[in-house]
Amino acid sequence: MTKFLIIANWKLNGNYKFINKNINLIKKKIYKSLYFCNLSIAPPYIYLGYINNLLKNTSISLTAQNVDIHTKGSFTGEISIKMLKDVGVKYVIIGHSERRFFHNENNDIISKKFILIKNNGLIPILCLGETEKQKKRNETEKICIQQINSILENSNINILNKTIIAYEPIWAIGSGKNANINEIQKTILFIKKYISSLNSEIVKNIYFLYGGSVNVSNLDIFLQEKTINGLLIGKASLTIENFISLVKKAEKTINSFNSS
Ligand code: PEP
């Protein structure tokens, strides 16, 4: 994992027409010129297999938006980790605030999912971050560490090796308010320092993403920070022309940093 990772989280959006248009344009306009960025698409579950076929022979990967804690059996409506593997998924998003709020997922469930994903050879993307109230109470660091600790309580530090942590302040998601870059950097550095205090090697193998109202206009500030290894993009990934401009801009900016 060395390139800047950009993940398009389509959430509960899209249909075959949207997918055909978006994937065709991504293949036509950007995938052959991706030198500094890795791209991954997180569509709704039912389109994963279809998109996997469209993405064959490209470097673009597939991300799932969720997984069940059970691996098989009588769990109507659920999708297992083996099914995700079967349809070609590489990354699985867990702990997203929308799942915490609308589906009552707590740290315990999220930690079980994290361990399951990792133990099955896929890469968990653990989303964590504070609410606006928690931020006002200066609880950001405490909340992030609690979310990491709940995983460590059920496993050990090795479980974090080669995984992804996405810092997503909840108040910044889909709100148009993105967090101040110094605060983002401070929080990510704090999390890194905490993990480093437990194991200074493993922390080097964790990718740290930021997510929260990133778009083509504010993208530059996130590219300048070496602490950020990639971005989770929601709303701005739904309009394909904007998303393509965003990825092209990221390529160009990272290229200019590398050559200066
Ligand atoms: C998200 O939901 O993970 C996200 C980052 O969304 P948005 O870009 O719309 O804030």
Side-chain angles (χ1 to χ4, degrees):
M1 293 199 291
T2 50
K3 290 185 179 181
F4 194 80
L5 179 60
I6 298 178
I7 302 186
N9 181 8
W10 288 352
K11 309 189 184 187
L12 188 55
N13 297 291
N15 52 27
Y16 282 117
K17 194 172 164 205
F18 170 96
I19 290 164
N20 289 334
K21 179 183 169 198
N22 283 21
I23 301 293
N24 282 340
L25 281 174
I26 287 173
K27 282 165 77 172
K28 205 162 128 191
K29 304 222 167 175
I30 42 178
Y31 104 84
K32 282 192 183 142
S33 47
L34 290 175
Y35 300 105
F36 307 104
C37 298
N38 272 333
L39 211 57
S40 193
I41 309 288
Y45 272 151
I46 55 165
Y47 299 115
L48 283 167
Y50 180 73
I51 297 181
N52 188 39
N53 278 331
L54 296 182
L55 293 178
K56 280 222 165 87
N57 305 318
T58 77
S59 57
I60 302 160
S61 63
L62 261 190
T63 295
Q65 296 179 19
N66 187 26
V67 66
D68 191 38
I69 50 172
H70 303 98
T71 49
K72 65 174 184 173
S74 304
F75 301 101
T76 303
E78 295 299 345
I79 303 288
S80 77
I81 188 73
K82 298 232 162 30
M83 292 169 189
L84 295 182
K85 266 183 116 165
D86 216 17
V87 294
V89 162
K90 179 170 184 185
Y91 304 106
V92 186
I93 298 172
I94 47 163
H96 194 285
S97 57
E98 287 152 14
R99 294 223 49 96
R100 292 179 193 262
F101 285 124
F102 301 125
H103 300 273
N104 297 323
E105 293 195 8
N106 57 26
N107 282 346
D108 188 47
I109 290 174
I110 295 159
S111 84
K112 286 190 176 117
K113 289 186 177 189
F114 188 100
I115 294 163
L116 179 79
I117 298 163
K118 183 72 197 316
N119 287 343
N120 278 276
L122 299 192
I123 302 175
I125 300 175
L126 172 69
C127 297
L128 43 78
E130 79 286 0
T131 62
E132 194 147 33
K133 264 194 191 154
Q134 289 164 336
K135 177 180 160 57
K136 283 190 183 136
R137 291 200 298 254
N138 265 330
E139 290 176 354
T140 301
E141 292 173 352
K142 184 180 98 184
I143 294 297
C144 293
I145 297 308
Q146 269 172 2
Q147 295 174 350
I148 291 170
N149 278 347
S150 77
I151 294 169
L152 298 178
E153 276 156 25
N154 291 311
S155 185
N156 61 56
I157 188 71
N158 293 322
I159 201 79
L160 296 180
N161 198 28
K162 296 191 178 153
T163 63
I164 299 180
I165 293 177
Y167 173 51
E168 298 209 305
I170 295 167
W171 50 271
I173 294 176
S175 64
K177 308 183 222 170
N178 58 276
N180 172 296
I181 190 66
N182 295 327
E183 287 175 9
I184 298 169
Q185 198 191 21
K186 189 170 156 256
T187 305
I188 294 181
L189 283 174
F190 180 83
I191 298 170
K192 277 188 163 183
K193 210 166 149 195
Y194 176 69
I195 298 172
S196 177
S197 73
L198 305 173
N199 188 309
S200 56
E201 282 310 302
I202 282 173
V203 74
K204 294 180 195 156
N205 297 327
I206 301 174
Y207 245 46
F208 288 87
L209 310 186
Y210 172 75
S213 297
V214 177
N215 57 47
V216 71
S217 317
N218 62 23
L219 172 74
D220 275 355
I221 51 172
F222 304 105
L223 298 174
Q224 283 162 21
E225 287 309 326
K226 290 262 163 19
T227 39
I228 300 176
N229 310 117
L231 297 166
L232 245 184
I233 316 263
K235 210 182 269 173
S237 69
L238 295 176
T239 311
I240 190 62
E241 292 75 13
N242 286 347
F243 185 65
I244 286 175
S245 307
L246 186 150
V247 177
K248 280 188 172 169
K249 195 171 175 189
E251 277 286 327
K252 205 168 153 198
T253 309
I254 298 170
N255 184 20
S256 71
F257 288 153
N258 287 352
S259 50
S260 64

